[in-house]
Amino acid sequence: GSGKTTLLRSLAGLWPYVEGSIEKPEPGHIMFCAQQPYLPLGTLRTALAYPAPAEDLSDDDARDALRAVQLGHLGDRLDVESDWTKTLSPGEQQRLAFGRILLSRPSLIFLDETTSALDEGMEHAIYQLVRERLPECTIVSVGHRRSLENLHSNELTLLGDGAWETRTLVV
């Protein structure tokens, strides 16, 4: 209720009720990931590649990304058409979103409750994976879990009514 998601929507340019200017990387170098990722109808390859065209995603790259996010068992289903929002559990959908991050290689990621369906061990492993594979990437997380503190070096707390504070975390 303090405006965390509204802040992310503003940064993404999806919330028209804000003023000011924002400096951010060029399009294609920034990703916004929601708690429930959008999975287009079609093949698993389409869902994993989104928003890039599915035909640009090689089998090897797709399978590597799936293995990295603990979805390797889906590697043989890349070209299977399905409603993947009904086929995959919420945790699998969130891990698929991290597969997209690995494939897209953004320099800045905004994660809005993107690990809420994962246990803390998997959450830690996924963040570690992103840091290892994308060491120059800045990760901004929005969430309620205290476990996120251990995964970041700085914290911005929205206090409500436009007030906020920052602190450096011991990592």
Side-chain angles (χ1 to χ4, degrees):
S2 60
K4 297 177 293 293
T5 298
T6 299
L7 174 62
L8 287 188
R9 288 180 182 155
S10 299
L11 293 171
L14 300 173
W15 190 255
Y17 311 105
V18 295
E19 295 179 8
S21 61
I22 299 170
E23 289 185 42
K24 55 187 175 186
E26 295 293 319
H29 295 280
I30 187 170
M31 284 186 80
F32 290 85
C33 298
Q35 181 176 12
Q36 182 175 350
Y38 172 69
L39 301 182
L41 292 175
T43 66
L44 180 61
R45 183 187 311 271
T46 299
L48 182 59
Y50 181 83
E55 57 270 10
D56 291 351
L57 181 56
S58 74
D59 287 358
D60 288 343
D61 289 343
R63 286 188 178 108
D64 177 61
L66 289 172
R67 275 191 303 274
V69 297
Q70 309 288 322
L71 294 173
H73 62 281
L74 298 173
D76 292 334
R77 299 181 67 192
L78 287 172
D79 296 312
V80 172
E81 292 207 22
S82 183
D83 182 348
W84 292 99
T85 59
K86 294 179 181 171
T87 305
L88 301 176
S89 72
E92 289 172 323
Q93 291 178 44
Q94 289 183 346
R95 294 193 327 256
L96 186 76
F98 278 93
R100 285 180 185 163
I101 290 168
L102 297 177
L103 292 165
S104 298
R105 306 189 62 77
S107 57
L108 176 60
I109 312 166
F110 289 95
L111 304 173
D112 188 5
E113 298 278 354
T114 310
T115 57
S116 62
L118 305 179
D119 63 42
E120 289 184 14
M122 180 59 74
E123 177 184 64
H124 184 270
I126 290 288
Y127 272 83
Q128 189 65 30
L129 174 69
V130 171
R131 286 209 166 78
E132 287 171 4
R133 293 214 180 173
L134 307 173
E136 301 300 316
C137 183
T138 299
I139 303 170
V140 178
S141 300
V142 169
H144 300 285
R145 295 169 114 179
R146 281 283 159 231
S147 58
L148 289 172
E149 283 185 18
N150 298 325
L151 303 170
H152 295 81
S153 56
N154 296 288
E155 179 181 65
L156 167 69
T157 303
L158 301 179
L159 304 171
D161 296 323
W164 52 273
E165 66 184 16
T166 62
R167 71 182 177 119
T168 300
L169 302 171
V170 178
V171 182

